[in-house]
Structure formats: structure tokens, C-alpha cells
Amino acid sequence: GIDISPAMLDLARKRAERERITNVYFYLSDGLSNVPAGSYDAVVSRWGMMFFPDLDLVLRGVLALLRPGGSFTTATWGEAQEVPLISLPLMLMAAAGGPAPDLTGGPFALHDAGDLARRLHAAGFPDVSIETFEVVYTFASAGEYFAHVSDRSPTVSALLQRLDDDARAAYR
């Protein structure tokens, strides 16, 4: 597992330990530096590609990492209104005194499947297939949802830390 976020790597390590998965290694990296070309049969990015400042450079780099015939799979989020799991806490944060959320960039930056397909082709991927699917999260309570969002969203966690106690309570 390669990530630019120490918090995401820590979460992945904990999950691997909990599931007793021992054949995985975790590296703090941008995923392109110091990695030999043609090293991988497959590259997977789950909800991460939209955060790279130069996606086109990254896509060309991913292609270079793959052996001939290798595959790349990525998952990206749809538009903000289609993803309340992410957009709702950002809108609530604004209501609690935080900044107005950017509901076009960040996690929603690659919501246009046609644009993503064009960029993959431009990077050199010969066969591009796009599938749309629904992801359903179910929580037992609002508290469980709040804990999930607070734990897994660096944006929400950072904003929560900046709020005073009253604003944090209003948000919760």
C-alpha cells in the first residue's frame, strides 16, 4: 500500500492487523518516486486519484509502472449531491462555523466519467472501461456516522480541530 497520507497508512496497517493480513507492506510515497518502471501487474487507486494536483502526470506515471498487459483500476466519487456520505458533513461543517465547502473539487474532482476516460486515453491507456455503481454505507446511529466521518475524512478532522467547543458541539 502506497499513500501520501500517514493517517491513511496507519488506518490500513490497523485494518491489515485486525484481519491478520501479513503479506502486505505500506510505504509513505507519492507512488511514482523511486519505483522501477514496469514493476507491477496491477495498480489500484481507491478514491485517491482526484487528490493529485497533476493527474495527467500521475496517470502517465501509473502506466509506466505497469508491466506489459498490466491493468489499472481506480474508483472515484460522483457529483456531490450523489455522495451525501462526503458532502453532508462538509455542508454541516459550514453551518457550524467552518468554511464553505468546495463541492466541485477534492473528492468530487473526477465526477465526470467522460473526462476521466479522455484523460486515461491521453495518458496512453489503450483500453478504458468506465462503470458506474452505487456504494451504500449503513450506520446504526448518527453517532456511528459521525465517528466514521471524523475518523476517515482528513478534511473533517482538521476542520473539527479548528472549531471551538461550542461550534464542535453544534456540528456534532
Side-chain angles (χ1 to χ4, degrees):
I2 301 172
D3 205 294
I4 59 172
S5 166
M8 293 301 287
L9 288 173
D10 187 48
L11 181 62
R13 281 186 193 98
K14 288 176 183 173
R15 286 181 179 169
E17 288 171 15
R18 185 176 61 236
E19 299 295 325
R20 295 183 172 90
I21 298 170
T22 59
N23 64 340
V24 65
Y25 302 92
F26 299 98
Y27 302 98
L28 182 65
S29 172
D30 64 4
L32 300 176
S33 303
N34 305 318
V35 181
S39 299
Y40 296 94
D41 293 317
V43 173
V44 177
S45 174
R46 191 185 91 178
W47 300 312
M49 296 307 285
M50 62 285 281
F51 297 109
F52 286 104
D54 189 342
L55 178 64
D56 299 317
L57 173 69
V58 170
L59 291 175
R60 290 190 302 273
V62 167
L63 183 63
L65 293 175
L66 293 170
R67 292 184 176 116
S71 65
F72 171 55
T73 300
T74 186
T76 63
W77 294 109
E79 294 184 73
Q81 66 269 20
E82 299 170 333
V83 191
L85 176 77
I86 300 170
S87 60
L88 178 62
L90 297 176
M91 290 184 288
L92 290 174
M93 183 63 66
D102 177 3
L103 297 179
T104 58
F108 312 110
L110 295 179
H111 72 273
D112 184 333
D115 179 56
L116 179 57
R118 284 187 292 282
R119 293 173 89 165
L120 287 162
H121 281 295
F125 288 90
D127 300 312
V128 175
S129 171
I130 304 282
E131 293 180 41
T132 300
F133 58 94
E134 185 174 326
V135 177
V136 177
Y137 283 79
T138 303
F139 299 96
S141 66
E144 185 180 299
Y145 170 71
F146 178 80
H148 173 86
V149 169
S150 301
D151 180 51
R152 289 180 177 75
S153 170
T155 303
V156 171
S157 295
L159 291 171
L160 280 171
Q161 291 175 8
R162 287 189 228 146
L163 296 177
D164 62 35
D165 291 340
D166 291 338
R168 196 175 302 114
Y171 174 76
R172 185 175 184 131

